[in-house]
Structures are given as C-alpha cells and as structure tokens.
Amino acid sequence: MTRGQERVCSHTDHSASSPPTMPPLLRPPTDWLAERAARTPSRAALIWREQVWTYGELHSAVNQLAAQLRTAGVEAGARVATLLPNSPAAVMVLHAVLRVGATLVPLNTRLTTAELAWQIARTTPALLVYNHATASQAEPLGNEVPLFDVDTPPERTSVAETFTPLPFDGVQAIVFTSGTTGRPKGAMLTLANHFWSATASAWRLGVQRNDCWLLCMPLYHVGGMAILLRSALYGTAVCLHERFDTDAVLQALDSGSVTLVSVVPTMLKRLLDAHGDRPFHSAVRTVLVGGAATPPALLERALSAGIPVALTYGLTEAASQVATAAPDEVRALPGTVGAPLWGTTVRIVRDDGTLAAAGEVGEIVVRGPTVMRGYWRDPDATAHTLRDGWLHTGDMGYLDDAGRLWMMQRRTDLIVSGGENVYPSEVEGVLLRHPAVEAVCVVGMPDAEWGEVVTAVIQPREKAACDVDDIRAFCRRHLAGYKCPKRIVVVEALPLTASGKIARQIVKERLVSGRDGW
C-alpha cells in the first residue's frame, strides 16, 4: 500500500495503531455533572416544558437520587437497568448511576415484556428503574429484578457519604443494538468512548456558550445519551422533549432559544412539510441529520430552504458519530457525511479484506478511541465485529480522493439480483422524487430465478393517486433495468422504529408473511 492510499483511507495515522491514552494525572474528572456544577452552577443545564434546572440544581437532585440508589443496593460495578421515557427523571438517573460507579442498561420502552425479560436476564442488573408511565411493563418483571419507581422513591436519604464515580475506562452503559438479525447485542460503551466522542464532535461542529441542544431522540439510544453527556462536558443546555412531535419541535426551533437539534431523515421531512420550505430561526446553527441515508431530494429541499444541515454517520458501537460534514461542507458537497472525526480512522475494505480504491464501494471499518469495548457476554459476536483492532460496521460506502465518506447502505440491506448489486437507498431516492410517494422502503425478496428481486413498499402522499404502472414507468426512466422494482406494494403507513427510521426488518417480515395491506 502506498502512502497516497493510506491518506485516502485514513484520517490520522497515529490512531490507526492504538487509541489515545492519558497519563493518570491528566485524565479528566469522571463525574462531569459534578465538575460542571462546581464551575458554573448557575448556568442552565436542563429545560423541560416550563421548568429549568441549573447545573447546581441538577447536581443536587442527582446527589439525592444517587444516595437512594445506594440505599436500594446499587454498589460500584453493578448494573442498573432503566425503563423510562424521556423525562427529567431519566436524565437524573443517567447521571446518578454514573455517580455511584455503576453501569447503565437503558431498555427500549417499546419492547414487549418477553423482550425486556431477555435483556434483563442477559445483564443481571441490581435494579430496574421505572416510572408511572412504564409501570405496566415493569411490574411483571418484579420476579426477575428488584424494582425502583423513580416517581415515588424512598424517603429522603442522607447524602453525606462520598460517592466513587465510574473510572475513566469503566463501562458507562450497555446499549442494546436494534437486533435486525437475531437477538440484540449489548454494546459496552466506556466513559472514555463518550469523552473522545464529545471532544471530536466539538472540534467538528464547534461549541458556543449559549448553545442549547434540542433533544427529541429516545434516551435509551446512544444518540440521545451522547447529547446529555457531552452537554455536561461543554456546560451547555439541553432542551428535552418527551418524544418527536412535529409542532412542538417547530415551536422550539422558531423560539430563538435552540441552537442545535438531532433528527433522522423522516423527522426532517415532517418538519419541512409542516414548516414550509423556509428557514428556522437564525439562532439554529446546526440540524444534525443521521441514523439513515438522507434522500438526495430531501437534502436538496432542506438546503434550498436555508436549513443548516450537517450530515453525520455513526453507530452505537462507536458512541454515536464517526464522520460528520458541517453545514458549510454539506452545502458545497451535498451528500457526503464528511471526513472522519478527530482521532478516528475510517477505511473501506473489499470482501477479501483488501483496501478499496478511492471511489470504490466496500465495507466501512472504523478504528479509534470511540469504539466500544465489545459486546456484553458475547465473545463470538465481539470477535466477529472487532477484528485486529477494527470495528467492522457492516455498512457500505466509499471514500473520495479527499478522504470524505459517502454512505451507501448496510451490507445486510444490499440486494443482489441476478448477480448485480442494488443499493436500496439509491432506488428509494428515485421513488421519493415521484409526486405520489410520501415514504418508501426497498428490500430484496427471495426469488428462484434472480436470487432476490427488488421490492418497493410505498406509503402514498395524502389524497394522492398512487398508480403502480406510472411509478414503474418513472423508475425505468431513472434507473437501470435491474434496479427497477419488480414488485410494488402500496400500504397506508410504513412501520417506524423508536427513533423515527423506517423499520426495514419489519417490512421484510410482513412481506414474507404475506401482509401486503398493513
């Protein structure tokens, strides 16, 4: 490999050999909330509806909760599962678990009792923290794990004791992946992973004293958790919403108090549909879009409206962001997710493990200080995903001559029809340009002759006539024949994940079961 090839495929040479380390005396404090409260106690930390907590107030509330968790039997090194919707209590529990030196296991509130029971059995937590909103899900699990209702905690507890927070390299959370194939896997993320992620994100997007990050992503996903932790490091505010609600988010974005927001493409589309193609308040400096490939037509529409879009690529196993294109770069080169963040190396490899050339599509592999420690109690999955120090993402993309990353698709979503590779995101991008199409999911379905056939499941626009023959003709005008959907299914609504992405695996399962009209 030549030095030129290494420059194309790697952001920094030193991080490819080993992650950065710090001498003990130079390592940052690990209770970031306590440190921030000591430095800027009167600065706003958390905004929830009409309430505002300063860092000093949030620190005091977390101290009380940490003492209650300790009284309930949570010791350093233990695990604490949470089943909580977005709420101030969920924020406080996150910090309190860190303060007592335990590991957080955030559970998806949309899971069934059986799914929750499996994850609890897998992680053996000392406690399951829930609230009134999730009581019906949590209480049946009382035989599996001690329960702690954060809405009605034990009587006030003395906080005179000194807590021992998690060490810098301690596992801050076990975050279960979505489990699109087989059982979910618990990614072990360390406090160091979050520290380097926050540092690198700040280098790319900048930090301003008056920053306020609108958080409407679930806190049991790494994207939501990362915003809370990095904001405590930065000393900036978080405006927390219980969920993504188009009207509520638009009101916040137009208020002048919000400067950043994280969304997935589906959310961005809903915001544009409701707001009209016009900019948000000038205070909004970054709309971070990730979680799925952004359709070119949607990106063009957002840029035309003057929305400061920053495109990002990340994953749970790398503590959120891997590469990010700031708004000015997105405007100059629409579609790229930018160069790898500081300290992170990205390479593209072929199926045989060799390095791909610039512009050649292959698997994205990542190395750097944000990469997880491994999967909880799953050595086989860890060995498969972490090889020779590289995180094999299963995602497809390419690096251009300047080392910028361009996303294509997850490897597991790739369609191979008649020996030809078809990237669903490309077909979806074309279909979304059709005036009758509101949303679409393209998947490969088994076929005796072709191996797989391209299948498009379409959610039509409201009151739009969805003529399947017209859509097929539209595809033939814009796509090679082998990329055109052989089958088109029209449904009333596509299923979504908790973070607002189209649930591709559920779409495939329903097609296999013959549920065409769901």
Side-chain angles (χ1 to χ4, degrees), residues 18 50 63 80 84 153 207 240 245 250 308 338 345 371 402 414 418 421 485 495:
S18 61
E50 302 303 318
N63 229 28
V80 176
L84 295 167
V207 178
L240 182 67
D245 176 87
L250 282 178
T345 302
V371 172
L414 180 69
N421 289 345

Side-chain angles (χ1 to χ4, degrees), residues 336-353:
T336 181
V337 293
L341 295 186
W342 178 84
T344 293
T345 302
V346 170
R347 290 179 177 173
I348 307 297
V349 297
R350 304 185 181 103
D351 288 342
D352 63 3

Side-chain angles (χ1 to χ4, degrees), residues 111-179:
L111 297 182
T112 66
T113 299
E115 291 168 321
L116 292 169
W118 182 86
Q119 294 187 6
I120 285 171
R122 186 81 170 173
T123 54
T124 59
L127 210 62
L128 171 60
V129 181
Y130 69 101
N131 70 356
H132 295 344
T134 56
S136 62
Q137 297 166 276
E139 287 168 356
L141 300 167
N143 292 330
E144 311 294 329
V145 61
L147 301 179
F148 182 99
D149 182 353
V150 74
D151 285 345
T152 55
E155 293 182 4
R156 190 170 182 84
T157 306
S158 170
V159 293
E161 63 179 299
T162 301
F163 297 110
T164 304
L166 198 72
F168 188 64
D169 58 355
V171 177
Q172 179 269 333
I174 299 171
V175 184
F176 281 95
T177 60
S178 56

Side-chain angles (χ1 to χ4, degrees), residues 122-248:
R122 186 81 170 173
T123 54
T124 59
L127 210 62
L128 171 60
V129 181
Y130 69 101
N131 70 356
H132 295 344
T134 56
S136 62
Q137 297 166 276
E139 287 168 356
L141 300 167
N143 292 330
E144 311 294 329
V145 61
L147 301 179
F148 182 99
D149 182 353
V150 74
D151 285 345
T152 55
E155 293 182 4
R156 190 170 182 84
T157 306
S158 170
V159 293
E161 63 179 299
T162 301
F163 297 110
T164 304
L166 198 72
F168 188 64
D169 58 355
V171 177
Q172 179 269 333
I174 299 171
V175 184
F176 281 95
T177 60
S178 56
T180 54
T181 56
R183 291 282 197 178
K185 299 182 290 292
M188 294 185 287
L189 298 176
T190 67
L191 202 57
N193 291 152
H194 287 293
F195 175 84
W196 291 112
S197 178
T199 302
S201 180
W203 276 49
R204 182 61 48 87
L205 297 176
V207 178
Q208 297 179 4
R209 182 183 177 87
N210 69 334
D211 272 343
C212 178
W213 206 310
L214 173 57
L215 173 49
C216 53
M217 309 288 280
L219 292 179
Y220 51 75
H221 283 184
V222 69
M225 186 188 306
I227 291 170
L228 287 181
L229 290 170
R230 67 183 48 171
S231 294
L233 271 174
Y234 302 158
T236 54
V238 171
C239 178
L240 182 67
H241 285 205
E242 186 172 1
R243 65 181 65 86
F244 176 81
D245 176 87
T246 304
D247 292 340

Side-chain angles (χ1 to χ4, degrees), residues 16 48 52 95 218 245 315 433 452 465 486 498:
W48 169 261
V52 179
H95 287 294
D245 176 87
L315 64 164
R433 288 157 51 191
E452 289 183 296
K486 300 293 189 293

